[in-house]
Amino acid sequence: MAQLWGGRFTKETDQLVYQFNASISFDKRFYRQDMEGSIAHVKMLGKQGILTETEAKEIVSAIKIILQEVEEGKLEISHEYEDIHSFVEATLIDRLGDTGKKLHTGRSRNDQVALDMRLFTRQEVLETDKLLEELLNVILIIMENNLDTYMPGFTHLQKAQPVTLAHHFGAYFEMFKRDRQRMEDIYHRMNYCPLGSGALAGTTYNLDRYNTASQMGFAGPTLNSMDGVSDRDYLIEFLSALSTIMMHLSRISEEIIIWNSNEYQFVEIDDAYSTGSSIMPQKKNPDIAELVRGKTGRVYGALISLLTAMKGIPLAYNKDMQEDKELPFDAMDTVKSCLALFTGMLSTMKFKKEQMESSAKNGFTNATDAADYLVNHGVPFRDAHGIVGQIVLACIEKKIAIDDMSLEELQQISPVFKEDIFKTISMETCVEKRLTIGAPGQEAMKNAIQLEKKYLSSDWKSSLPDWETELLK
Ligand code: ARG
């Protein structure tokens, strides 16, 4: 075991305590961010005259080499160190001797870890946003191709009114669009640099916090050093947004599982995205959708775990905060893999249009329109509702759709019906005359698609600074 402290101790740390305390097995994941933070810090120390320019240059080039060696697998991050910060510092001291010992001037592991995790999370926000964008592009294609693919719309999982597949997917477009907007919000709110907060009370060195912040693409430094080291709100917000993404993915997965069932047969999942049974040869299971639905819980778990860890922590840094890594990392990985797989499954999935349409026809989804027909011919709505209810009952007995009744049969129930009732309650009419903003009618959907396309054509990420290239130059 190798640690950065020990001066005031007279006994060795117990081996189990050391292991319990150590975080290197998981915080090595942000070795890159840790070294980038150190580079920015040392460059600033050099500019401010806290280190000499020569010392700063020497340290920066040594860290760049360490970073490169780690990336190329030439240098292994050894678990004998307590955490990634200790590993980097010890390796530097090993190579530079006394100059290496100056790296940690004006810094604490508290502001260092706050920075590392924030840099790491900020990158995750961008990657998640990109995956959401790809999913939205696939959904948009499905929408454009299915403006007249009629299907039942459901309430209570009972057929309600006819909609189109484009309209159904348009609902998910909106959900995942809001998820992306949350990424953008979170990015901007979290984009302040905690480095320079020190252990909790800033430092007596003349640090230029604006300089380090801008070297790493932050909008500025955090404004209170106690908050700087102990704020994990940004991560809680991100986990909450990730949970919402999973909730959306899980809902659509549930629909796909239902649509893929023998009873529905609305979709055919591509062979590449389904699995078989070891015993039942006929099976083709929607495992990806089921796994996405199933993995939702672990993402919620990470959110609840961090909320719980944070709720009793007095200011400022406390070791409980080390718990902000393992489960959040798992949640980030889970969401990214779910988004990527789900997008792949969706882009290869076939929709069985005839099946969807005949399901919509055979579920009395035009009953409301039949009642509206009567209302338009002077029948009060409550009476119209009762009349159509009787028609539905008769149809159920005969096992037919309303459209299959003869005009005479309809007129026996209400003389108000005329020949034009059949056109009025046809699937096409039922959908196409729904033209309010947000409705499934083709013209309304085309307008919505135009707006969604316009939204997709501008990417908020494109205006972000390329700080990494600049920093590592
Ligand atoms: N491993 C620690 C964490 O993740 C790093 C900060 C340690 N600071 C300290 N004062 N022990 O939170």
Side-chain angles (χ1 to χ4, degrees):
M1 53 192 184
Q3 55 209 19
L4 296 173
W5 40 271
R8 59 102 67 218
F9 288 77
T10 53
K11 260 168 102 180
E12 284 272 300
T13 321
D14 178 272
Q15 187 56 37
L16 280 178
V17 171
Y18 186 81
Q19 280 167 13
F20 190 65
N21 197 44
S23 52
I24 189 132
S25 63
F26 47 89
D27 66 19
K28 66 177 174 188
R29 207 166 152 176
F30 49 54
Y31 69 86
R32 187 178 175 86
Q33 288 76 10
D34 189 77
M35 289 190 241
E36 285 171 342
S38 289
I39 291 171
H41 180 63
V42 169
K43 280 186 177 174
M44 180 276 293
L45 293 179
K47 273 191 80 195
Q48 295 298 97
I50 301 165
L51 296 187
T52 66
E53 285 288 350
T54 325
E55 287 169 334
K57 282 209 173 97
E58 214 185 319
I59 299 177
V60 167
S61 17
I63 298 177
K64 281 187 188 166
I65 293 169
I66 297 173
L67 177 58
Q68 196 179 346
E69 288 179 13
V70 170
E71 304 238 280
E72 288 170 358
K74 288 184 189 146
L75 176 64
E76 207 194 316
I77 299 174
S78 155
H79 284 204
E80 71 176 296
Y81 295 94
E82 181 187 337
D83 51 33
I84 188 64
H85 327 297
S86 315
F87 167 79
V88 174
E89 191 172 330
T91 312
L92 191 73
I93 294 171
D94 225 32
R95 296 184 182 190
L96 298 185
D98 282 349
T99 311
K101 291 182 185 162
K102 298 188 176 181
L103 166 68
H104 211 51
T105 312
R107 189 175 71 171
S108 155
R109 273 186 300 167
N110 295 353
D111 58 347
Q112 191 178 356
V113 79
L115 169 69
D116 294 0
M117 191 61 189
R118 206 176 274 237
L119 281 173
F120 185 89
T121 306
R122 193 178 66 175
Q123 182 58 29
E124 290 291 318
V125 172
L126 295 180
E127 286 172 23
T128 308
D129 184 83
K130 180 91 199 107
L131 288 163
L132 283 167
E133 194 183 338
E134 283 161 18
L135 173 58
L136 284 175
N137 278 306
V138 168
I139 293 181
L140 190 76
I141 294 171
I142 297 175
M143 288 167 71
E144 286 188 294
N145 290 340
N146 290 285
L147 283 167
D148 58 358
T149 305
Y150 302 118
M151 65 177 286
F154 297 86
T155 61
H156 314 269
L157 202 54
Q158 307 274 316
K159 293 176 193 176
Q161 290 175 342
V163 294
T164 63
L165 188 61
H167 190 246
H168 197 109
F169 268 92
Y172 284 104
F173 191 102
E174 286 295 294
M175 294 179 230
F176 293 118
K177 181 169 83 180
R178 289 193 294 272
D179 287 331
R180 271 198 84 196
Q181 289 164 343
R182 273 184 272 276
M183 294 301 118
E184 188 178 352
D185 281 357
I186 291 170
Y187 186 98
H188 292 301
R189 199 166 18 257
M190 74 179 286
N191 200 22
Y192 291 87
C193 183
L195 189 65
S197 298
L200 76 160
T203 148
T204 53
Y205 295 97
N206 179 29
L207 305 184
D208 182 351
R209 294 194 59 207
Y210 280 101
N211 175 284
T212 38
S214 91
Q215 284 190 68
M216 291 179 282
F218 287 103
T222 53
L223 288 187
N224 180 291
S225 58
M226 289 219 219
D227 181 55
V229 290
S230 63
D231 163 37
R232 299 293 181 273
D233 291 7
Y234 72 90
L235 191 53
I236 289 173
E237 266 192 74
F238 184 46
L239 291 172
S240 159
L242 291 182
S243 298
T244 308
I245 294 174
M246 288 306 291
M247 179 270 289
H248 290 152
L249 280 176
S250 184
R251 278 184 89 172
I252 190 169
S253 292
E254 169 72 8
E255 301 220 66
I256 287 170
I257 293 162
I258 293 171
W259 292 352
N260 183 65
S261 67
N262 283 335
E263 287 68 25
Y264 277 75
Q265 297 184 37
F266 282 8
V267 295
E268 163 113 41
I269 298 174
D270 195 82
D271 278 0
Y273 286 90
S274 27
T275 53
S277 156
S278 59
I279 173 168
M280 298 164 283
Q282 83 282 12
K283 283 288 198 107
K284 196 173 152 190
N285 298 327
D287 285 27
I288 298 303
E290 289 171 17
L291 274 172
V292 169
R293 188 177 60 181
K295 283 177 190 291
T296 303
R298 59 202 271 180
V299 179
Y300 292 0
L303 169 64
I304 299 302
S305 160
L306 188 59
L307 277 170
T308 312
M310 292 304 293
K311 85 178 189 42
I313 302 185
L315 288 177
Y317 178 84
N318 293 260
K319 194 67 177 235
D320 321 38
M321 289 175 174
Q322 184 165 288
E323 286 297 310
D324 72 349
K325 297 177 191 66
E326 288 159 286
L327 295 187
F329 284 157
D330 180 75
M332 295 170 194
D333 294 341
T334 300
V335 173
K336 284 198 295 183
S337 68
C338 287
L339 278 170
L341 278 156
F342 191 86
T343 303
M345 179 182 71
L346 206 57
S347 64
T348 50
M349 201 163 75
K350 301 260 179 311
F351 295 96
K352 299 184 179 169
K353 301 187 182 188
E354 298 79 47
Q355 187 71 18
M356 289 183 164
E357 201 166 320
S358 97
S359 167
K361 274 199 173 128
N362 294 313
F364 304 108
T365 55
N366 52 4
T368 317
D369 294 80
D372 288 345
Y373 174 94
L374 294 172
V375 171
N376 287 330
H377 289 78
V379 181
F381 180 76
R382 195 45 61 210
D383 293 342
H385 188 282
I387 293 167
V388 178
Q390 283 177 46
I391 296 173
V392 168
L393 196 62
C395 288
I396 292 173
E397 271 165 20
K398 295 182 171 183
K399 293 198 172 63
I400 57 170
I402 303 179
D403 318 50
D404 300 328
M405 295 276 272
S406 68
L407 184 58
E408 293 69 42
E409 285 170 318
L410 290 175
Q411 284 173 336
Q412 272 166 24
I413 301 176
S414 169
V416 179
F417 287 118
K418 298 281 160 343
E419 187 59 40
D420 61 346
I421 177 62
F422 295 107
K423 180 150 184 17
T424 308
I425 62 168
S426 77
M427 185 79 58
E428 292 72 14
T429 316
C430 288
V431 172
E432 297 314 337
K433 72 182 180 202
R434 287 185 153 75
L435 291 172
T436 39
I437 294 174
Q442 272 202 53
E443 287 314 308
M445 274 309 297
K446 279 182 188 161
N447 286 336
I449 286 176
Q450 275 321 318
L451 292 172
E452 306 295 29
K453 271 190 170 167
K454 198 167 159 221
Y455 158 75
L456 274 181
S457 69
S458 78
D459 183 9
W460 66 276
K461 298 191 291 305
S462 59
S463 60
L464 300 176
D466 185 10
W467 64 273
E468 253 190 318
T469 322
E470 191 61 31
L471 183 83
L472 298 176
K473 246 206 303 235

